[in-house]
Amino acid sequence: MIQQLQTTILGREYTLELSGTLTGYWLVFLRLLVGWWFLHEGLNKYVAPGRFRAGWFLEKTGTVVSPVLNAFAGGATEAAIELVVPAGEVLIGLGLILGVLTRTAAFFGAFMLFFFYFGSEHWRRGLVNGELMGLILFVTIIVFGAGRIWGVDSYLETTDLVGNRPWLRYLLG
């Protein structure tokens, strides 16, 4: 049985033919694994002793994204980040596990890991680290539209709502 993944990127249709179901199973596994990773990280911030604090990260200097991060340090913006990061990780994890708004969830996961990667001190160990690998996993989920395989997005894309508004497919899959 030959499967195809079809997607539209920047207005151009792409079709990837998959031989058998192995690739589909791999994308589901990848989506579930990354979803569990983020769900676990988010829930851990709620149940771990002590409150999650973002100040240690927002107040760093000398990284590529320090000027952006420093703008959020202190006051109400730091308090908002301390609420948004764990909630975002939980929502991203659930979105990936259920395959709901998969590309949107993966986009925000990649967005978070972009700042974790470029704001990290792990550069001293080399350019390739866990944050970069996570960023690559999220981009892979976005490109392949992994929510279309055993995800709620596969059902949502068959509805009239999405059929009449093809731009919604960019958020799904």
Side-chain angles (χ1 to χ4, degrees):
M1 174 176 164
I2 295 177
Q3 293 181 342
Q4 292 182 336
L5 285 177
Q6 295 179 334
T7 188
T8 304
I9 300 174
L10 300 174
R12 186 170 173 183
E13 289 284 328
Y14 291 94
T15 302
L16 176 64
E17 299 222 6
L18 307 172
S19 58
T21 57
L22 185 60
T23 306
Y25 289 137
W26 178 252
L27 289 173
V28 171
F29 172 74
L30 187 68
R31 193 184 82 221
L32 293 173
L33 184 70
V34 175
W36 172 252
W37 172 36
F38 256 58
L39 179 64
H40 178 266
E41 288 296 321
L43 291 175
N44 193 43
K45 287 178 177 60
Y46 288 116
V47 298
R51 203 181 98 196
F52 167 69
R53 298 243 186 250
W56 66 272
F57 187 70
L58 297 175
E59 295 168 5
K60 284 184 179 180
T61 58
T63 66
V64 176
V65 293
S66 290
V68 175
L69 295 175
N70 294 160
F72 291 97
T77 54
E78 186 171 319
I81 295 293
E82 290 173 354
L83 293 174
V84 168
V85 168
E89 287 176 339
V90 168
L91 291 173
I92 289 166
L94 287 174
L96 293 179
I97 289 171
L98 298 174
V100 177
L101 295 170
T102 306
R103 279 191 171 147
T104 305
F107 168 80
F108 284 109
F111 181 79
M112 288 175 78
L113 280 173
F114 172 85
F115 282 99
F116 293 160
Y117 179 68
F118 286 104
S120 176
E121 296 173 353
H122 297 291
W123 289 76
R124 65 180 175 261
R125 293 191 315 233
L127 296 177
V128 179
N129 58 33
E131 286 87 6
L132 178 63
M133 298 310 294
L135 182 60
I136 290 169
L137 290 172
F138 277 117
V139 171
T140 302
I141 290 168
I142 292 168
V143 168
F144 283 101
R148 293 183 178 137
I149 304 167
W150 288 359
V152 175
D153 287 345
S154 63
Y155 165 75
L156 293 175
E157 288 188 356
T158 63
T159 64
D160 289 337
L161 176 71
V162 176
N164 296 332
R165 295 166 189 84
W167 62 270
L168 288 173
R169 293 187 75 213
Y170 286 112
L171 304 176
L172 304 173

